[in-house]
Amino acid sequence: MSKTKEYVIPFVGLKLGKHKFEYQINNAFFEIFDYNEFQNSDIKVNVVLDKKSNLLEIDFKHKGIINVPCDLTSEDFDLPVKGKLKLIVRFGETFNNDNEELLILPFGEFEIDIAQYIYEMIVLSIPLRRVHPGIKDGSLKTEALTKLKELAIEEQTKKNKEEKEEENIDPRWDKLKQLLTDK
């Protein structure tokens, strides 16, 4: 039995016109494709199949959130995703899916499996660089950032001490330094 059975649309029994389908996608869907980049996902996919006499037009739209680690801090956060895809299905002698927007099915086919198209649409809508929104607005609080701030404060106090020591240097050295710069 196919794992993507619920994503198969039997179009042969449908009347001409538009037909709407709705899917709720979670991590179990991505496990079918051995894709485990998300900690959690909750995505709503709307599919509108427009059946015409000699072709099918399928419009996919998705919107939801995925829980992913930040590329900078490795902190998990909810990333909103949305996107759309248009697919035209024609009928011909042989199966052909070389074109991403055109699918050619053999004349005897009576159903279409849209799971692969849903998967690709969602995965391709995820940005290459995933940055926690708390980094952009400065509200992110993590152990690593707290430790970095402590170290930065310690470093700044060391620099201040060194600057004070330089101020206490004998003024005769300034005259010698001036000789070097007067050349």
Side-chain angles (χ1 to χ4, degrees):
M1 187 170 114
S2 174
K3 293 180 179 179
T4 61
K5 185 178 179 186
E6 63 184 283
Y7 305 101
V8 173
I9 299 175
F11 58 82
V12 86
L14 298 175
K15 294 180 181 179
L16 295 180
K18 294 188 178 189
H19 305 277
K20 295 179 181 176
F21 302 91
E22 192 172 289
Y23 301 99
Q24 195 66 36
I25 304 296
N26 56 26
N27 275 16
F29 174 79
F30 294 105
E31 288 171 5
I32 296 170
F33 298 97
D34 292 328
Y35 188 80
N36 53 6
E37 295 275 323
F38 314 142
Q39 276 68 7
N40 198 4
S41 59
D42 184 25
I43 303 167
K44 184 178 179 182
V45 177
N46 292 313
V47 179
V48 177
L49 184 142
D50 188 5
K51 184 176 180 183
K52 299 186 178 179
S53 60
N54 59 350
L55 63 96
L56 303 171
E57 288 182 7
I58 306 174
D59 290 317
F60 300 88
K61 287 185 182 177
H62 75 280
K63 187 174 184 177
I65 58 168
I66 55 171
N67 190 283
V68 292
C70 173
D71 290 336
L72 299 176
T73 63
S74 297
E75 290 289 319
D76 293 343
F77 72 101
D78 289 337
L79 177 70
V81 291
K82 66 178 180 177
K84 57 185 173 180
L85 173 75
K86 185 172 181 93
L87 178 67
I88 296 176
V89 181
R90 290 194 161 264
F91 300 96
E93 294 297 321
T94 59
F95 178 84
N96 184 348
N97 64 351
D98 292 341
N99 190 333
E100 61 191 41
E101 295 177 358
L102 177 67
L103 172 67
I104 298 176
L105 292 177
F107 285 115
E109 285 294 317
F110 60 93
E111 61 187 14
I112 181 170
D113 187 354
I114 61 171
Q116 181 69 34
Y117 296 101
I118 292 172
Y119 166 75
E120 289 175 5
M121 174 184 61
I122 293 171
V123 170
L124 291 175
S125 71
I126 300 166
L128 290 175
R129 189 167 183 201
R130 301 172 291 210
V131 180
H132 194 291
I135 291 176
K136 294 175 185 171
D137 63 15
S139 64
L140 181 65
K141 303 275 190 269
T142 65
E143 290 179 32
L145 289 175
T146 306
K147 188 66 176 172
L148 282 172
K149 286 178 184 175
E150 288 174 10
L151 293 173
I153 291 171
E154 289 175 12
E155 190 173 308
Q156 187 63 37
T157 56
K158 284 181 185 178
K159 285 182 182 178
N160 289 344
K161 286 180 184 178
E162 290 173 3
E163 289 175 4
K164 287 180 182 177
E165 288 175 7
E166 286 181 13
E167 290 174 6
N168 296 335
I169 295 177
D170 191 355
R172 292 176 285 186
W173 287 108
D174 290 335
K175 289 287 184 188
L176 286 173
K177 286 182 186 176
Q178 197 172 22
L179 287 174
L180 289 173
T181 58
D182 286 344
K183 289 185 181 179

